[in-house]
């Protein structure tokens, strides 16, 4: 049960309306999380800008795999439903790759290094070891790419924390609880 208001279209602040309308057009409906997040035009628009900018980094499979790994660590069931859906339908990741990403891994060695690094960043609160940094560099990620991975971790954590605090009703297909994968 949601712990905040999920705004109706008439309740959306004018400063959030254009951003929310764009998401609604692109997705085909208005996710509850976004309708709730839109209460704060400053936070909502900042997040949307970050999301748009980071959608140009790495590749969609790596981004979705990082989202799954971070959401799993943060225990965000709402985001796990969203990322599982988008990973399957947009990134075309098979179900076993989605489960692997939730566990902090990937079949592709380069993606695996990025996902492991992202999981390590969230688990250590950024206090990664020299060895972990070397591992992600050794597969070809530049420091610019590593900064982008860190930014993805932060962005996904923002929505994880938002959804964990406010618990909007899930509007994507539910996923298997973490203890069962």
């Amino acid at each position: 049960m949601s712990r905040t208001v999920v705004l109706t279209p008439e309740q959306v602040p004018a400063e959030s309306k254009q951003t929310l309308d764009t998401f609604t057009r692109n997705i085909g409906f208005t996710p509850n999380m976004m309708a709730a997040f839109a209460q704060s035009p400053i936070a909502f628009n900042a997040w949307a800008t970050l999301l748009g900018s980071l959608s140009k980094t790495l590749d969609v499979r790596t981004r979705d795999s990082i989202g799954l790994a971070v959401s799993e660590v943060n225990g965000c069931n709402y985001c796990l439903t969203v990322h599982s859906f988008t990973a399957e339908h947009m990134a075309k990741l098979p179900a076993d790759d989605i489960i692997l990403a939730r566990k902090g891994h990937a079949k592709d060695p380069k993606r695996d290094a990025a996902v492991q690094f992202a999981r390590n960043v969230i688990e250590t609160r950024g206090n990664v070891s020299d060895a972990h940094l070397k591992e992600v560099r050794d597969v070809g990620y530049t420091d610019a790419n590593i900064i982008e991975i860190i930014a993805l971790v932060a962005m996904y954590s923002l929505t994880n924390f938002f959804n964990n605090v406010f618990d909007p009703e899930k509007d994507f297909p539910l996923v298997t609880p973490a203890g069962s994968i």
Side-chain angles (χ1 to χ4, degrees):
M1 175 190 219
S2 185
R3 294 164 59 182
T4 191
V5 175
V6 175
L7 301 177
T8 65
E10 300 77 34
Q11 296 172 313
V12 174
E15 299 87 355
S16 294
K17 187 155 182 41
Q18 181 179 355
T19 302
L20 188 60
D21 287 350
T22 299
F23 278 115
T24 300
R25 274 192 309 280
N26 291 340
I27 298 170
F29 73 102
T30 304
N32 290 326
M33 177 280 243
M34 291 182 190
F37 204 171
Q39 292 178 75
S40 170
I42 292 170
F44 181 61
N45 289 318
W47 167 77
T49 299
L50 184 59
L51 176 67
S53 295
L54 292 176
S55 72
K56 299 172 187 124
T57 188
L58 307 174
D59 62 273
V60 68
R61 288 180 169 203
T62 301
R63 289 191 311 269
D64 274 342
S65 294
I66 290 170
L68 286 160
V70 170
S71 298
E72 187 71 42
V73 170
N74 287 328
C76 182
N77 290 324
Y78 187 96
C79 289
L80 284 170
T81 68
V82 172
H83 292 299
S84 294
F85 182 85
T86 60
E88 178 183 357
H89 296 283
M90 296 169 76
K92 305 297 184 203
L93 280 174
D96 58 329
D97 284 4
I98 292 170
I99 291 169
L100 201 56
R102 288 180 62 184
K103 294 178 179 181
H105 292 283
K107 290 177 187 170
D108 174 79
K110 189 169 183 179
R111 185 177 319 122
D112 186 57
V115 174
Q116 283 188 51
F117 184 76
R119 186 175 175 104
N120 189 257
V121 167
I122 194 69
E123 288 176 339
T124 67
R125 294 178 176 86
N127 293 301
V128 300
S129 68
D130 290 342
H132 284 119
L133 192 55
K134 182 180 180 327
E135 287 171 9
V136 76
R137 285 177 172 150
D138 283 351
V139 297
Y141 286 107
T142 65
D143 283 357
N145 297 139
I146 294 167
I147 292 165
E148 293 160 357
I149 292 169
I150 296 164
L152 285 164
V153 169
M155 181 190 69
Y156 291 131
S157 292
L158 171 60
T159 55
N160 292 166
F161 297 160
F162 175 88
N163 289 309
N164 285 342
V165 168
F166 290 118
D167 194 25
E169 184 179 335
K170 285 138 195 88
D171 37 20
F172 289 87
L174 296 179
V175 296
T176 305
S180 304
I181 61 169

